[in-house]
Amino acid sequence: MRIAIIGIGNVGSALARGFVRAGHQVVLGVRNAGDAKVSSLAQNTNAEVNSPSGAAASADVIVLALPWTAAEEAVRSLGNLKGKIVIDCMNPLAMRNGVLGLDRGFDTSGAEALANWIPDARIVKTLNQVGAELMADNSDLPHRPVMFMASNDAEAKAAVSALLTGLGFEALDAGDLTKARLLEPYGMVWINQALFRGQGRDWAFAAVKRT
Ligand SMILES: NC(=O)c1ccc[n+]([C@@H]2O[C@H](COP(=O)([O-])OP(=O)(O)OC[C@H]3O[C@@H](n4cnc5c(N)ncnc54)[C@H](OP(=O)(O)O)[C@@H]3O)[C@@H](O)[C@H]2O)c1
């Protein structure tokens, strides 16, 4: 698969490494191709570099790894995304009275806002439930970490499921895109444990069941 990564901070750069290791072709969609961190990542992963819209146009799958506050403007400027599979790993984070939380929930989600901005794209909410470090490499964990997906598009979900498997996750189908209303607070459970409950960043959720 040819995968465009828009935003190459913690998550985007981790996923670039993980996807390249899994055998995919990665193109980094960046605002400033001259940035040293861009050339270093491109060199380490053999990824191509392009503008965000150029990268998106050239790829089968587009990963949005942008800060929520920058997302709408950045996503609307990506151009025509008709038929493209878009992986939304963003959590709609916001500070409320000095406490980190989500800026929406219960009856909508960040992923559903995204669907309004790019209605022709095939959005899959996933990869928002674990820290970036374990997206790049989780092979040393004692259990396979789980990663839920929500999407209205069964074919897109199947393609993303295969990508998640390649990254070392057990991909589980959470249902349609409205289930992002569950997955975004679930991402907050990870954040709360990692940042505020002393768990640190090197852990993930796993699904275990009686056989
Ligand atoms: N960090 C985690 O462990 C984690 C885990 C799961 C989900 N998430 C979610 O993933 C998203 C990204 O998190 P992160 O920690 O990777 O953030 P980050 O390190 O701040 O990286 C964000 C990236 O987005 C780029 N960017 C900002 N505005 C842009 C625009 N208009 N066009 C193109 N690129 C733009 C930034 O580029 P510049 O460097 O040029 O500013 C930067 O490379 C967030 O929504 C977060 O909630 C994070």
Side-chain angles (χ1 to χ4, degrees):
M1 282 258 188
R2 187 172 161 88
I3 304 173
I5 302 189
I6 314 299
I8 57 152
N10 301 307
V11 169
S13 54
L15 287 174
R17 288 190 213 98
F19 283 136
V20 165
R21 186 179 311 111
H24 301 289
Q25 201 185 350
V26 167
V27 51
L28 309 174
V30 298
R31 294 184 287 188
N32 181 4
D35 193 326
K37 86 174 179 203
V38 175
S39 31
S40 156
L41 181 63
Q43 206 168 24
N44 292 340
T45 57
N46 264 332
E48 284 175 37
V49 178
N50 206 328
S51 63
S53 57
S58 75
D60 312 302
V61 174
I62 300 161
V63 177
L64 299 177
L66 297 159
W68 178 244
T69 46
E72 180 169 4
E73 194 184 336
V75 167
R76 286 190 189 277
S77 65
L78 286 179
N80 182 3
L81 301 185
K82 191 172 169 53
K84 302 272 187 188
I85 296 175
V86 171
I87 295 179
D88 171 22
C89 52
M90 301 180 288
N91 282 312
L93 300 179
M95 294 301 287
R96 285 175 179 270
N97 302 321
V99 177
L100 183 63
L102 296 171
D103 86 345
R104 63 196 63 215
F106 296 112
D107 56 6
T108 189
S109 61
E112 290 162 273
L114 180 62
N116 285 329
W117 307 335
I118 46 171
D120 293 338
R122 306 157 76 194
I123 297 168
V124 182
K125 181 88 202 185
T126 192
L127 285 169
N128 68 312
Q129 305 144 44
V130 73
E133 297 81 351
L134 293 177
M135 298 181 196
D137 186 6
N138 53 52
S139 56
D140 56 344
L141 293 184
H143 299 285
R144 196 150 63 115
V146 69
M147 187 58 67
F148 291 99
M149 308 171 288
S151 177
N152 295 336
D153 187 312
E155 222 178 76
K157 227 167 0 188
V160 172
S161 173
L163 294 178
L164 293 173
T165 303
L167 292 175
F169 293 102
E170 176 182 8
L172 286 186
D173 187 352
D176 68 20
L177 200 63
T178 65
K179 299 303 181 287
R181 299 171 196 179
L182 305 180
L183 301 189
E184 290 168 4
Y186 182 58
M188 282 305 299
V189 176
W190 187 92
I191 292 171
N192 184 54
Q193 289 298 313
L195 304 190
F196 307 119
R197 304 299 304 167
Q199 188 81 254
R201 300 186 59 88
D202 270 332
W203 71 282
F205 300 106
V208 286
K209 58 182 168 190
R210 192 168 276 137
T211 49

